[in-house]
Amino acid sequence: MRKMYLLFVIAMLCGFLSVPTTTIAQDCSGYLLLTENAEYEILSYNQRNKLTGKVVYKVTDVRQNGGKSEATVHTKMYDEKGKMANEGSYQVGCENGSVWVDMRSLMNPDMMSAYKDMEIKMEGDHMDYPASLSPGQKLKDGSFTIDVLDKNSGQNFSTITMLVTGRTVGEKERFEVPAGTYEGFKINQDMEVQTRAMGMKMPGTRMQTVEWFVPGTGWIKSETYRNGKLMAYSVLNKINK
């Protein structure tokens, strides 16, 4: 049971890190993830540099309401052999140049397949990226909770809570990924997943992540660590506008 939940947590966090976001502008025009039909391709690797899969993101719908913009991003997930494993969608938005991603939409659908016959309730915050970033800046924390219930009795089977804390902007750096060479901010954050199954509290899982975030383009690279050791990383492979 403990091993199963640990694998669940690792996969969930890798899914979380595969979601790109955009920021750094004083209005909502020009954001790649708010551009109709724009596409990202993200490649994921384990600590041994072995390809573990890829995700293709496509903006399928952009909505304008005054100074606010929202978009639906369709995702297609592929395994290491290039076979499509699943697909889904999530929402992003922008107001006054600041971008948000709904944490409820960050769950990889594959991770919930074990609960396909159960009732799932999700509740979470927005992950915010302000219009202006600077070294040392503290960003808003976020939390995300999943309740798995029996459809007939309504009994709680398990509750999974993800906490994202300590989001701190680092120095601006120049770096290279397959999609090209970029200059962006390094963002450090801590992640903790707490699980309660059938009333029993499971051992928590703590991880640290580093994101590289480029003004006007968005998320470019990410690394996931546990106890100081690299577990996985993802990079932007290509962009189609």
Side-chain angles (χ1 to χ4, degrees), residues 19-25 29-35 38-42 59 90 99 129 175 177 179-185 212-221 236-241:
V19 181
T21 48
T22 56
T23 190
I24 316 245
S29 62
Y31 289 128
L32 192 59
L33 274 188
L34 293 168
T35 301
E39 289 186 346
Y40 275 91
E41 183 178 275
I42 302 292
V59 181
Y90 66 91
V99 172
Y129 292 80
F175 54 92
V177 294
T181 301
Y182 296 88
E183 187 175 59
F185 290 94
W212 281 262
F213 198 83
V214 174
T217 301
W219 177 92
I220 301 296
K221 178 182 177 182
L236 179 64
N237 188 46
K238 61 184 178 181
I239 295 175
N240 296 317
K241 301 181 180 179

Side-chain angles (χ1 to χ4, degrees), residues 168-173 175 184-188 210-213 223:
T168 305
V169 180
E171 297 293 331
K172 206 170 188 180
E173 299 179 355
F175 54 92
F185 290 94
K186 190 175 181 179
I187 300 177
N188 296 276
V210 182
E211 299 176 344
W212 281 262
F213 198 83
E223 296 176 347

Side-chain angles (χ1 to χ4, degrees), residues 11 28 34 41 58 62-63 69 107 125-126 132 139 167 177 182 189-190 221 229 232:
C28 297
L34 293 168
E41 183 178 275
K58 183 174 182 179
V62 177
R63 305 170 295 279
S69 299
M107 171 58 68
D125 300 323
H126 289 167
S132 297
L139 303 183
R167 301 177 67 215
V177 294
Y182 296 88
Q189 57 193 22
D190 297 319
K221 178 182 177 182
K229 295 182 179 180

Side-chain angles (χ1 to χ4, degrees), residues 100-218:
W100 56 262
V101 178
D102 191 338
M103 288 187 69
R104 289 176 297 179
S105 62
L106 300 178
M107 171 58 68
N108 186 330
D110 278 340
M111 298 306 101
M112 301 310 297
S113 60
Y115 302 123
K116 62 181 179 180
D117 297 323
M118 309 292 282
E119 180 181 355
I120 306 297
K121 292 184 178 180
M122 300 185 186
E123 183 176 357
D125 300 323
H126 289 167
M127 292 295 292
D128 296 327
Y129 292 80
S132 297
L133 296 178
S134 59
Q137 182 179 357
K138 304 293 184 181
L139 303 183
K140 182 182 176 182
D141 294 340
S143 65
F144 174 61
T145 300
I146 303 169
D147 287 313
V148 183
L149 310 173
D150 182 86
K151 285 185 177 180
N152 296 321
S153 66
Q155 180 181 0
N156 185 291
F157 176 74
S158 65
T159 297
I160 303 167
T161 302
M162 176 192 292
L163 304 174
V164 182
T165 60
R167 301 177 67 215
T168 305
V169 180
E171 297 293 331
K172 206 170 188 180
E173 299 179 355
R174 187 176 180 84
F175 54 92
E176 185 176 351
V177 294
T181 301
Y182 296 88
E183 187 175 59
F185 290 94
K186 190 175 181 179
I187 300 177
N188 296 276
Q189 57 193 22
D190 297 319
M191 290 187 178
E192 180 179 359
V193 176
Q194 303 170 349
T195 304
R196 185 175 293 274
M198 301 299 291
M200 298 177 58
K201 186 176 181 180
M202 308 294 289
T205 300
R206 293 180 176 85
M207 298 183 186
Q208 301 77 43
T209 68
V210 182
E211 299 176 344
W212 281 262
F213 198 83
V214 174
T217 301

Side-chain angles (χ1 to χ4, degrees), residues 81-94:
K81 297 180 180 179
K83 181 180 179 181
M84 193 173 79
N86 214 319
E87 57 185 322
S89 62
Y90 66 91
Q91 304 295 313
V92 298
C94 174

